[in-house]
Every structure is written in C-alpha cells, then in structure tokens.
C-alpha cells in the first residue's frame, strides 16, 4: 500500500484561489511591480544620509534665490532710463565792494552844533522873494541864528494873519481841493451853475474862458484866492479879501498878494498836508522850511 503524502500547501492554496481572490492577488502584484519600477531611479539619486539631503536641498534653494535676485537687479538696471544730471550752475561771484573808509575816532562834536539847522541870511530870505516890508524888518540879524530869525519873522507876519469875517465868499483855486473838504464846501468847475448865494469853492485854469466864468458866477461874494505859488494869474480875477496856500511856495505867494492888496492870510496846509488855520507861526515855519539847511 503506497504512502499518501499530504498535499503541497502552496499548491493547495494556489488551486484554491479562484474568483475574487485571484483578481485581488493579480492587482496587488501589479501595484508592487509599479512601485519597484518607480522607486528605482529615486534610489539612485537618494543621498546616503537623509539629513545631508535636506541640507543640499536648502543650499540649492538659497543659490537659486540669490541667482534670481541678481538677474532681476541686472534686468532692472538695464531697463531703467539713463538720466543725465543737470549741470551745476556756475558759482556766483560777489562784486567787490568799495573799501570802507577808516573809522574816525577824533570827531570835533563841538563843531556840529548847527547840524541840520536852517542857514538864515539876508541873501537866503531875499532869494525867496519875500515882501519888501518883511525884508526890511529882518535886516541886521546875525546869520544862522534860528531862534532870532524865526521870532522876528513871526512878529512881522502877525498883522497879516488877522481874523476872518463870516460873509459869503468864493474861494478860487487852480486845482487843489484839499481845503474844500476841510471847509465843508462843494467844488464847482467852469460850465457848472453854482448856487446864487452862500460861499462856494471853484477850480479853474488860467484860460480866458475859465477866468470869465469865475467873474460871471461870483455875484456879490467876497473873493478868496487859494495859491500854490505857480498860479499868480488868479490875481487877474479881482482884488481878494483873503488868501490861502496849499504849498510852501504858495505861502510866499500869499504873503506877496496879501502885502500888495491888504488881504488876510487865512488858511494853509502844514508839512503833513493837513489843512490848518494860517497863524503867523505856521506861515513862519513854512518859510523856514524853504531855507537851506546846514549839512
């Protein structure tokens, strides 16, 4: 009787794998085969040490980043437009100033007592064309004595700056209207028709038509001339009862007409151009300002 061996377990298992089990085994074998084929090239490139592999990867990344930064910088420099800087302005040379005089240490202050004072003299007041009566009264005064000359001038002018009368008056000027507003009078010009009565203020030129218009509208008003020193033709209108001035030269003209006609010196403008009542001191100060001052 022959011995019966147990059947081969592997052969038995393979024979028993049929149906679904056989299909699963076939799929597993295919997957294992694909993994072996894929893993082969990776194993060849893999470094022996995992730590060294990470370092190599980090160095590679840093090298690539640095190279990329250099490339971008070079590209930006090539694309940036080249601008030529503006040339610097030439240096300005300051003009050479004149050398200053050496300071004076020894000054004779006692010789400067008359600095800026009027240089009064008979020649100076005669050149102003003051009335003859005033020039006679100034004779014999010491040259340059400001207080003496001004005091004598005020005494001689006082009779000419006497009081005013409240009567209807026609003030006539060659153009200035500064006194008109101060006196509260409206201004009339040739061609207009002023009111018949009361005081009025007129401006005219020295033309025949203007002077004729003044004579026609004057009526029974007193004549009052307002002078600036260049309009002596206004005296042709008639004999005034009062004269005023709007400039320093006009003050001298007012004295000249007042001396020859007996007219009162009434109003004027001071050194600041402000209308004033013409007192003897105010007129004297206007004449004093015409005298040349010492330098």
């Amino acid at each position: 009787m022959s011995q019966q061996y147990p059947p081969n377990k592997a052969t038995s298992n393979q024979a028993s794998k049929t149906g679904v089990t056989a299909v699963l085994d076939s799929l597993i074998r295919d997957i294992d085969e694909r993994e072996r084929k894929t893993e082969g090239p990776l194993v060849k490139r893999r470094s022996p040490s995992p730590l060294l592999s990470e370092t190599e990867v980090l160095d590679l990344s840093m090298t690539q980043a640095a190279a990329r930064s250099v490339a971008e910088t070079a590209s930006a420099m090539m694309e940036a437009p080249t601008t030529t800087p503006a040339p610097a302005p030439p240096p300005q040379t300051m003009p050479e100033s004149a050398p200053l005089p050496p300071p004076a240490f020894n000054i004779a202050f006692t010789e400067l007592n008359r600095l800026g004072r009027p240089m009064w003299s008979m020649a100076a007041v005669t050149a102003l064309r003051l009335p003859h009566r005033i020039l006679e009264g100034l004779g014999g005064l010491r040259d340059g004595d400001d207080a003496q000359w001004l005091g004598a001038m005020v005494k001689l002018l006082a009779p000419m700056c006497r009081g005013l009368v409240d009567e209807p008056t026609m003030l006539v000027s060659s153009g200035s209207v500064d006194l008109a507003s101060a006196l509260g009078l409206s201004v009339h010009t040739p061609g207009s028709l002023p009111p018949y009565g009361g005081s009025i203020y007129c401006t005219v030129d020295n033309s025949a038509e203007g002077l004729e218009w003044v004579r026609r509208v004057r009526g029974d008003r007193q004549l009052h001339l307002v002078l600036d020193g260049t309009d002596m033709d206004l005296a042709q209108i008639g004999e005034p009862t009062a004269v005023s001035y709007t400039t320093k030269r006009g003050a001298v003209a007012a004295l000249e007409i007042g001396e020859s006609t007996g007219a009162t010196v009434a109003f004027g403008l001071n050194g600041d151009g402000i209308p004033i009542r013409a007192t003897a001191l105010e007129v004297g100060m206007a004449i004093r300002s015409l005298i040349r001052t010492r330098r």
Side-chain angles (χ1 to χ4, degrees):
M1 177 175 180
S2 61
Q3 190 177 357
Q4 296 290 328
Y5 293 96
N8 191 344
K9 194 177 287 189
T11 304
S12 174
N13 292 335
Q14 290 177 358
S16 64
K17 291 179 180 180
T18 58
V20 176
T21 304
V23 173
L24 292 175
D25 289 343
S26 176
L27 292 174
I28 292 171
R29 286 193 300 271
D30 291 342
I31 292 173
D32 291 341
E33 184 66 25
R34 291 177 182 176
E35 289 180 353
R36 284 193 297 271
K37 291 181 179 180
T38 306
E39 191 179 8
L42 296 176
V43 172
K44 293 179 181 180
R45 296 186 180 183
R46 188 177 300 161
S47 301
S49 172
L51 181 59
L52 182 60
S53 175
E54 293 178 1
T55 304
E56 290 174 351
V57 172
L58 183 59
D59 292 342
L60 178 60
S61 299
M62 294 178 63
T63 303
Q64 291 177 350
R68 186 165 51 253
S69 177
V70 172
E72 291 176 356
T73 303
S75 177
M77 292 177 63
M78 293 178 63
E79 293 178 359
T82 58
T83 58
T84 303
Q92 297 182 356
T93 58
M94 298 298 293
E96 295 183 359
S97 58
L100 296 177
F105 297 103
N106 299 322
I107 301 176
F109 294 105
T110 55
E111 298 180 0
L112 302 177
N113 291 332
R114 296 183 180 182
L115 181 64
R117 310 309 299 174
M119 300 172 61
W120 289 99
S121 67
M122 282 303 301
V125 293
T126 302
L128 295 180
R129 296 178 58 185
L130 293 176
H132 183 69
R133 180 183 64 84
I134 296 178
L135 293 177
E136 286 183 344
L138 297 175
L141 298 179
R142 185 172 66 251
D143 291 353
D145 192 328
D146 190 22
Q148 189 180 28
W149 281 82
L150 184 59
M153 184 74 68
V154 171
K155 291 180 180 180
L156 294 170
L157 296 176
M160 304 182 67
C161 301
R162 55 188 179 273
L164 302 173
V165 294
D166 294 329
E167 295 182 7
T169 303
M170 181 177 67
L171 288 84
V172 183
S173 167
S174 62
S176 175
V177 295
D178 295 309
L179 289 176
S181 57
L183 299 176
L185 297 174
S186 59
V187 180
H188 301 276
T189 57
S192 63
L193 186 60
Y196 180 78
S199 297
I200 58 175
Y201 194 103
C202 303
T203 60
V204 295
D205 53 22
N206 58 0
S207 64
E209 294 79 5
L211 297 179
E212 179 60 28
W213 173 80
V214 169
R215 296 188 187 98
R216 187 170 63 253
V217 300
R218 175 181 174 181
D220 57 356
R221 300 179 178 95
Q222 301 289 326
L223 180 61
H224 185 155
L225 301 182
V226 182
L227 307 171
D228 63 10
T230 64
D231 46 10
M232 299 298 290
D233 292 337
L234 293 181
Q236 301 178 20
I237 300 174
E239 185 172 305
T241 57
V243 287
S244 295
Y245 59 91
T246 58
T247 64
K248 299 171 184 177
R249 292 289 178 182
V252 177
L255 293 178
E256 185 177 353
I257 293 181
E259 181 69 19
S260 61
T261 63
T264 301
V265 181
F267 302 102
L269 300 180
N270 66 7
D272 296 328
I274 300 175
I276 56 171
R277 171 68 170 94
T279 64
L281 178 59
E282 292 289 351
V283 179
M285 291 297 292
I287 296 174
R288 177 179 182 270
S289 65
L290 294 175
I291 302 297
R292 184 180 176 184
T293 57
R294 192 180 303 276
R295 298 182 181 276

